[in-house]
Amino acid sequence: MSPGQQPQNSPTALTETFHYQNATHTYTLKWTSLGDPNAQPLIFIHGTPWSSRVWSPYALALSRQFHVYLFDNPGFGESPLEQPLPETDTSFAGNIVQELDSDLSRQSEVYAALFKEWQRNWEGRKPHVIAHDHAGLMSLRAYLLHGREYASLCLIDVVAIGPFGQDLFKTVAENPSYFEKLPDMAFEGILESYIRQASFKELNKETMEMLKAPWLREGGKKGFVRQLCQANSRNTDAVESRYDGTIGKDLPIKIIWGANDDWIPVETAHRLGKALGAKEVVEIEGAGHLIMYDQPAQLGVELGRWLNTISGS
């Protein structure tokens, strides 16, 4: 078992595999589901540089009421990075947004395909979707551009509306090969510092090791540098152009944000809420970007209240 990988007997272990191919790439996603297959579906989507494991406690708790789905995005956790087809030109003519999938069009496409595969068993039921970080952009692309229908959407400290940017993103993007060649010890120090910045409270050793593990495996350094370069070129034009303040009339939307988020400031939550027409915007004090570790109980209460309210409406 690779460092940080869940034991196969863990209830949230990703035991299923989904394969997908489009005109330029092939994808292999690891996923699992928990709870009664006849219950209403609930999908958790993680962001960068995390994996589905950030949602494990919530998935276990909510699987008593819902049929819960977890998966690792391409290049994260236990899902390998997308692979270009050998006969296809994937240079994208110098377009950095397309090359790095900085608008998440490819990740959103494969998520939409996985969604369609799951949908075969839903018998007309629509899923609730809970999204964190860049999963906000993924979930909105799937809804607005791929026609995937949700019962509700809960967005937590998400990448979904500009502007974006951190000094580290810019620094790495200016010379990615330098960072790929860093000694392992130096790279791990940068990685750990980056993760610590996402949390308002001190992360315990077990959690820190779990969050670092996927990027410390073979090829992980290159993958992590790629994620930072991708973030430096983040683009949301395809969906932001559709934010007209009325999406929330057809789709119940709740936004939850850490009041102490140093990655994406809390004022973004209110701009996004207005742009989407969200039913509710909630700030959680004493929480940074990793709200599920800073204030796990309060986040759990907010999720439970939201899902019970929407499911009963």
Side-chain angles (χ1 to χ4, degrees), residues 103 137 140-141 144-145 159-164 234-245 247 268 271-272 275-276:
D103 57 359
L137 179 54
L140 285 164
R141 285 189 70 100
L144 293 170
L145 306 181
V159 172
I161 190 169
F164 309 104
R234 184 69 73 223
N235 184 291
T236 61
D237 291 351
V239 289
E240 275 201 68
S241 62
R242 296 178 179 234
Y243 299 168
D244 59 3
I247 294 172
T268 305
R271 287 197 298 114
L272 182 61
L276 296 177

Side-chain angles (χ1 to χ4, degrees), residues 81-136:
L81 188 65
E82 60 196 58
Q83 295 298 311
L85 296 175
E87 67 276 15
T88 305
D89 178 12
T90 55
S91 65
F92 300 107
N95 186 322
I96 196 69
V97 171
Q98 292 184 28
E99 181 181 343
L100 292 170
D101 192 26
S102 297
D103 57 359
L104 301 185
S105 58
R106 297 200 297 274
Q107 288 197 48
S108 302
E109 180 185 346
V110 71
Y111 157 61
L114 180 59
F115 182 108
K116 189 174 182 179
E117 181 71 17
W118 291 336
Q119 195 173 27
R120 300 175 192 273
N121 301 313
W122 292 344
E123 298 181 351
R125 294 185 296 268
K126 296 178 184 179
H128 298 293
V129 175
I130 298 172
H132 177 246
D133 191 82
H134 81 214

Side-chain angles (χ1 to χ4, degrees), residues 259-276:
N260 308 97
D261 190 336
D262 286 337
W263 281 16
I264 312 177
V266 70
E267 62 88 12
T268 305
H270 298 280
R271 287 197 298 114
L272 182 61
K274 183 177 181 180
L276 296 177

Side-chain angles (χ1 to χ4, degrees), residues 3 18 29 45 56 132 143 155 160 199 224 229 238 261 267 285 308:
F18 175 71
L29 265 62
I45 317 177
S56 291
H132 177 246
Y143 177 77
L155 302 171
S199 180
F224 181 74
C229 292
D261 190 336
E267 62 88 12
E285 295 293 334
N308 285 329

Side-chain angles (χ1 to χ4, degrees), residues 25-278:
H25 292 81
T26 60
Y27 306 82
T28 300
L29 265 62
K30 299 295 293 184
W31 68 277
T32 194
S33 65
L34 302 79
D36 182 357
N38 296 313
Q40 185 170 14
L42 168 62
I43 301 171
F44 283 96
I45 317 177
H46 72 83
T48 183
W50 327 114
S51 73
S52 60
R53 291 193 67 180
V54 301
W55 291 126
S56 291
Y58 301 96
L60 284 169
L62 290 167
S63 66
R64 298 177 61 186
Q65 182 180 355
F66 299 95
H67 189 205
V68 179
Y69 291 84
L70 294 172
F71 69 101
D72 281 350
N73 285 312
F76 295 83
E78 296 179 34
S79 294
L81 188 65
E82 60 196 58
Q83 295 298 311
L85 296 175
E87 67 276 15
T88 305
D89 178 12
T90 55
S91 65
F92 300 107
N95 186 322
I96 196 69
V97 171
Q98 292 184 28
E99 181 181 343
L100 292 170
D101 192 26
S102 297
D103 57 359
L104 301 185
S105 58
R106 297 200 297 274
Q107 288 197 48
S108 302
E109 180 185 346
V110 71
Y111 157 61
L114 180 59
F115 182 108
K116 189 174 182 179
E117 181 71 17
W118 291 336
Q119 195 173 27
R120 300 175 192 273
N121 301 313
W122 292 344
E123 298 181 351
R125 294 185 296 268
K126 296 178 184 179
H128 298 293
V129 175
I130 298 172
H132 177 246
D133 191 82
H134 81 214
L137 179 54
M138 284 178 57
S139 59
L140 285 164
R141 285 189 70 100
Y143 177 77
L144 293 170
L145 306 181
H146 294 276
R148 300 301 181 254
E149 296 184 348
Y150 307 150
S152 74
L153 179 59
C154 184
L155 302 171
I156 304 171
D157 294 81
V158 293
V159 172
I161 190 169
F164 309 104
Q166 289 188 30
D167 289 342
L168 180 60
F169 298 164
K170 182 178 179 180
T171 301
V172 172
E174 287 174 349
N175 195 351
S177 61
Y178 170 81
F179 288 89
E180 289 176 19
K181 294 175 183 177
L182 283 173
D184 290 347
M185 184 178 296
F187 169 72
E188 186 172 356
I190 292 173
L191 173 63
E192 185 162 325
S193 176
Y194 181 71
I195 293 172
R196 288 190 188 284
Q197 188 187 23
S199 180
F200 181 70
K201 296 182 177 180
E202 187 73 19
L203 295 168
N204 63 45
K205 183 177 180 180
E206 181 182 4
T207 298
M208 175 60 77
E209 294 303 312
M210 182 272 290
L211 294 173
K212 289 192 305 183
W215 307 110
L216 297 178
R217 300 172 192 155
E218 184 177 356
K221 188 189 301 183
K222 184 174 183 178
F224 181 74
V225 169
R226 183 181 187 278
Q227 302 309 323
L228 296 186
C229 292
Q230 180 190 75
N232 185 66
S233 303
R234 184 69 73 223
N235 184 291
T236 61
D237 291 351
V239 289
E240 275 201 68
S241 62
R242 296 178 179 234
Y243 299 168
D244 59 3
T246 66
I247 294 172
K249 291 182 179 180
D250 297 318
L251 173 66
I253 298 173
K254 176 169 183 167
I255 296 175
I256 303 174
W257 221 271
N260 308 97
D261 190 336
D262 286 337
W263 281 16
I264 312 177
V266 70
E267 62 88 12
T268 305
H270 298 280
R271 287 197 298 114
L272 182 61
K274 183 177 181 180
L276 296 177

